[in-house]
Amino acid sequence: MLRGYLAFSDRTSRAAETLAVLLLYGFCALMLAEVFARGFLSTSLAMSWEFSAFAMAGVFLLGAGPAMRHGAHVRVTLVLGALPPKGQRVLEVAAVLGAIASAALLCWIFTSLFLNSWAKDLRQSSYTATPLIWPHGLAMLGSAQFVLDLVARLIRTLLNEPSEQPLPKVQELHDA
């Protein structure tokens, strides 16, 4: 059962990081279009700022879990280095439990926002009137993935397995 959960978490984490990359490319394309429009057309693409802000929120939240999974997050290891292995493990478990509680609260908040936006058909207060279920949905998915990845990290720590999976090298990606 635990192996099934870890496999599920790894699959959804890969999907989240793929969506985060697509949003990042979209964000960059919108900003380049904005620069082009201002520089050559003397106008602004008003929706570019709105959609870019939504995309950046999605990139941040959808990428948080996968970044942690690959060890790309910022970590202070000063205390860990001073502890014996058993103490390191206890501290790691305590830290992950605190992170799960915080991430679960964040997920609950974003889920409430999403459900409220959906029930009331809330829209952005701009001329584009973007339905807020889209950005709130991205935030909800990203925060839920973060919870999934944190629980997977806790399971791996308790099973005495490496909790971080290094990114494949470029050659390994090319050969696959």
Side-chain angles (χ1 to χ4, degrees), residues 7-110:
F8 172 76
S9 174
D10 288 345
R11 278 193 311 276
T12 58
S13 191
R14 281 190 294 280
E17 63 192 350
T18 300
L19 183 53
V21 167
L22 292 174
L23 285 170
L24 187 59
Y25 283 141
F27 165 74
C28 291
L30 277 172
M31 287 296 96
L32 286 173
E34 176 68 20
V35 168
F36 178 82
R38 283 186 183 226
F40 296 105
L41 305 176
S42 300
T43 188
S44 177
L45 306 173
M47 60 83 174
S48 69
W49 293 101
E50 181 178 323
F51 290 178
S52 293
F54 295 154
M56 283 309 295
V59 167
F60 173 76
L61 289 163
L62 289 164
M68 184 201 55
R69 198 172 123 248
H70 293 303
H73 59 294
V74 175
R75 226 175 137 181
V76 179
T77 58
L78 181 65
V79 175
L80 278 176
L83 294 174
K86 186 175 180 178
Q88 290 177 0
R89 191 163 175 231
V90 168
L91 183 60
E92 179 74 19
V93 168
V96 172
L97 286 171
I100 289 171
S102 298
L105 177 63
L106 190 67
C107 184
W108 178 73
I109 290 168
F110 283 129

Side-chain angles (χ1 to χ4, degrees), residues 90-131:
V90 168
L91 183 60
E92 179 74 19
V93 168
V96 172
L97 286 171
I100 289 171
S102 298
L105 177 63
L106 190 67
C107 184
W108 178 73
I109 290 168
F110 283 129
T111 301
S112 296
L113 282 172
F114 172 78
L115 293 173
N116 189 42
S117 298
W118 189 5
K120 297 180 179 179
D121 192 31
L122 297 179
R123 296 180 175 269
Q124 179 72 11
S125 62
S126 64
Y127 79 93
T128 60
T130 305

